[in-house]
Amino acid sequence: QVQLVESGGGLVQAGGSLRLSCAASGRTSGRTFSSYAMGWFRQAPGKEREFVTGISNRGGRTLYADSVKGRFTISRDNAKNTVYLQMNSLKPEDTAVYYCAANGPILRESISFNPNDYDYWGQGTQVTVSS
């Protein structure tokens, strides 16, 4: 079982920045953190959970939703079992609960934007962008 804990959310004015972190821990059936692709999703009130960005197990590939391209950057530090989401030029429409999720273990450097492909989820962290 993998536990994911997000941190770094908060209230920020439009145009500001936040950096989210997601730390992984727990038993992984002998697999290391680097065996898991990681994703960030978000869910705004009254809306479905949507894919924001993902990074492959060794960090060689990334994928972004069109709405965040050029503003958000995902990265990971496998030595620290942590994935990050740097969010710049934030907009009010970025307001949501942000979740990190782990997909794996997988062998290929692939990324899925489908939340049903992710096996483990964090509890979420609130991001609020004021206008």
Side-chain angles (χ1 to χ4, degrees):
Q1 193 76 2
V2 175
Q3 288 85 43
L4 302 174
V5 179
E6 302 99 335
S7 61
L11 173 64
V12 64
Q13 289 188 333
S17 298
L18 281 175
R19 188 193 195 206
L20 306 183
S21 299
C22 173
S25 62
R27 296 181 62 185
T28 58
S29 301
R31 300 285 185 173
T32 64
F33 178 69
S34 61
S35 298
Y36 292 79
M38 299 298 295
W40 286 97
F41 292 78
R42 67 187 181 187
Q43 188 166 19
K47 295 187 177 181
E48 293 187 353
R49 189 169 299 189
E50 65 173 357
F51 174 82
V52 176
T53 180
I55 189 166
S56 60
N57 50 8
R58 289 184 291 276
R61 295 185 60 200
T62 57
L63 185 65
Y64 294 92
D66 288 343
S67 58
V68 306
K69 277 182 183 176
R71 300 188 298 121
F72 290 12
T73 302
I74 189 172
S75 61
R76 66 189 296 161
D77 185 340
N78 286 343
K80 295 182 178 180
N81 291 355
T82 301
V83 63
Y84 305 98
L85 179 60
Q86 178 66 45
M87 305 185 294
N88 299 328
S89 301
L90 283 160
K91 304 175 181 180
E93 50 264 43
D94 294 318
T95 295
V97 177
Y98 283 71
Y99 300 89
C100 74
N103 173 20
I106 54 177
L107 299 179
R108 295 173 290 109
E109 286 221 71
S110 63
I111 307 165
S112 173
F113 57 83
N114 185 345
N116 294 325
D117 289 334
Y118 287 78
D119 306 288
Y120 304 101
W121 292 82
Q123 82 289 349
T125 185
Q126 176 70 47
V127 172
T128 303
V129 184
S130 63
S131 57

